[in-house]
DNA sequence: ACGGAGGTGTGATGTATATCACTTTTAAAT
DNA sequence: ATTTAAAAGTGATATACATCACACCTCCGT
């Protein structure tokens, strides 16, 4: 499990044993059951999470009560309400388990310590942020340029594992179409 | 002009004069005329740009030749085809001037040097990347949750200056609706 | 001063997708 | 094993929006 996290980080920057020990000291682990909330709207968001096993959905609920999926997170993914996390303001999103899930938790302070004291980790987070931004930009383009069917096909091609594990009604809420349309 | 850049950076991290001199040495400046391309699809993207004055559009052109606007950039904004920049692959987007524009250019190497040799700048870029990601995520949500009219109203409220300076047909291409729909 | 390009408004029509209502299937819970 | 809830398919109807076609207007360059 530690090994899994270490490999994840070392995909971007090699570490010494001492460095990894220092990093690991900033993390705690936690287990959640299916349907459990990790973050609820209004919560104070203390942590960013890295998924060891399981599956999460990050959701925005609009005024009319409709749910929209900002993103899914499975093994090896980071997730949180990052706006709330970085600005230390109440959550506007909720983070909920679609399966029993185990995560590494990195506190806001831990994040600051890692960035301040280990330049390698700041580099790591910079890479993650850059690629996260690029992924978001690609998704914007996909929403601007393609219709529902095409977006679904893209998703199946890109993340077949996700399509297997997630109910179609949720995929619809991620792609921005109604459940019924997706089914046809 | 240097002062303008310095203030921009110091909004996030204070600098000594020596540090700023070092930073500035990594930049060059360049002027472009209205309608000129800074990046064209297929180009090798050597630089990220910071807008001193003027206005840019970052555009994706789909198979059918239709233009979709990834983003606009005005004074004080960074812009580039970041995917091409960070991965050093050919541009899939184009960057074009909507007005006469002057920019600071930061080369890929310069970016690396700044990150490696000045931790403060790595912190600066980390902040920018994080907030860029969050802005993109908000835009995704706005595309998922609201209809054309609402998105337009949001934009007017958020960036009235932009709405003034940009033709409506381009705002439409940014919001993901047709020019005609926007006009009604 | 004139011609052309770019920008904008408006009608008529077509289409993708939302919404509502209902059924069937599958999976979870006691 | 039986009950209950969640997921998935399907028809009928409504609607937001795209598309096409055209008129008008205002810059800008020569």
């Amino acid at each position: 499990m530690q090994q899994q996290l270490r490999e994840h980080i070392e995909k971007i920057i090699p570490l010494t044993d001492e460095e990894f020990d220092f990093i690991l000291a900033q993390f705690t682990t936690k287990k959640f059951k299916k349907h459990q909330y990790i973050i609820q709207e209004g919560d104070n968001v203390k942590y960013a999470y890295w998924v060891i096993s399981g599956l999460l959905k990050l959701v925005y609920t609009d005024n009319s009560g409709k749910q929209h999926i900002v993103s899914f997170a499975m093994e090896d993914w980071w997730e949180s309400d990052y706006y709330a996390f970085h600005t230390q303001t109440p959550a506007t999103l909720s983070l909920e388990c679609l399966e029993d899930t185990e995560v590494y938790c990195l506190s806001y302070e831990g994040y600051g310590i890692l960035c301040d004291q280990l330049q390698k980790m700041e580099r790591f987070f910079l890479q993650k942020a850059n690629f996260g931004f690029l992924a978001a930009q690609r998704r914007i383009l996909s929403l601007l340029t393609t219709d529902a069917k095409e977006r679904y096909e893209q998703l199946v091609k890109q993340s077949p594992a996700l399509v297997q594990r997630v109910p179609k009604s949720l995929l619809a809420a991620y792609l921005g179409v109604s459940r019924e349309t997706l089914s046809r």
Side-chain angles (χ1 to χ4, degrees), chain A residues 96-116:
Chain A
E96 193 182 344
C97 299
L98 299 177
E99 303 174 358
D100 291 358
T101 299
E102 185 171 16
V103 294
Y104 271 117
C105 312
L106 176 62
S107 70
Y108 183 70
E109 295 75 29
Y111 174 80
I113 290 170
L114 288 181
C115 287
D116 288 342

Side-chain angles (χ1 to χ4, degrees), chain A residues 148-165:
Chain A
K149 189 195 294 182
E150 234 175 307
R151 289 206 294 279
Y152 180 66
E153 284 160 4
Q154 279 180 9
L155 185 66
V156 171
K157 206 162 64 180
Q158 271 185 243
S159 315
L162 197 69
V163 178
Q164 297 301 320
R165 288 165 74 176

Side-chain angles (χ1 to χ4, degrees), chain A residues 6-7 33 35 41 55 60 80 87 90 112 118 140 165 167:
Chain A
R6 181 162 183 172
E7 278 167 18
K33 294 259 169 203
H35 292 135
E41 203 184 314
L55 181 56
Y60 173 74
S80 189
T87 63
L118 236 186
I140 288 170
R165 288 165 74 176

Side-chain angles (χ1 to χ4, degrees), chain A residues 3 20 53-54 81 116 151:
Chain A
Q3 194 49 29
F20 183 65
S53 66
D81 179 342
D116 288 342
R151 289 206 294 279

Side-chain angles (χ1 to χ4, degrees), chain A residues 40-55:
Chain A
Q40 266 184 295
E41 203 184 314
D43 281 1
N44 178 6
V45 178
K46 290 204 186 63
Y47 302 99
Y49 302 92
W50 185 76
V51 179
I52 298 164
S53 66
L55 181 56

Side-chain angles (χ1 to χ4, degrees), chain A residues 14-153:
Chain A
L15 297 172
T16 66
D17 290 350
E18 297 74 44
E19 284 168 342
F20 183 65
D21 288 344
F22 178 72
I23 291 166
L24 200 58
Q26 304 305 323
F27 284 86
T28 55
T29 61
K30 201 157 180 192
K31 291 183 183 189
F32 295 90
K33 294 259 169 203
K34 186 170 177 174
H35 292 135
Q36 224 181 325
Y37 282 99
I38 300 183
I39 299 171
Q40 266 184 295
E41 203 184 314
D43 281 1
N44 178 6
V45 178
K46 290 204 186 63
Y47 302 99
Y49 302 92
W50 185 76
V51 179
I52 298 164
S53 66
L55 181 56
L56 308 174
K57 64 172 181 182
L58 184 66
V59 172
Y60 173 74
T61 307
D62 68 22
N63 312 320
S64 73
K66 214 166 144 189
Q67 300 213 139
H68 305 271
I69 297 205
V70 179
S71 63
F72 296 103
M74 31 193 269
E75 289 77 12
D76 241 54
W77 286 67
W78 290 87
E79 196 62 276
S80 189
D81 179 342
Y82 284 113
Y83 184 81
F85 179 76
H86 281 118
T87 63
Q88 288 290 291
T89 53
T92 57
L93 307 175
S94 67
L95 183 60
E96 193 182 344
C97 299
L98 299 177
E99 303 174 358
D100 291 358
T101 299
E102 185 171 16
V103 294
Y104 271 117
C105 312
L106 176 62
S107 70
Y108 183 70
E109 295 75 29
Y111 174 80
I113 290 170
L114 288 181
C115 287
D116 288 342
Q117 301 192 12
L118 236 186
Q119 183 154 18
K120 282 182 182 178
M121 278 309 277
E122 189 161 39
R123 177 65 50 96
F124 173 81
F125 289 124
L126 177 57
Q127 272 248 22
K128 284 285 161 200
N130 275 146
F131 282 97
F133 170 71
L134 292 172
Q137 213 171 60
R138 268 197 299 283
R139 181 144 166 237
I140 288 170
L141 270 181
S142 136
L143 286 168
L144 290 181
T145 59
T146 67
D147 64 9
K149 189 195 294 182
E150 234 175 307
R151 289 206 294 279
Y152 180 66
E153 284 160 4

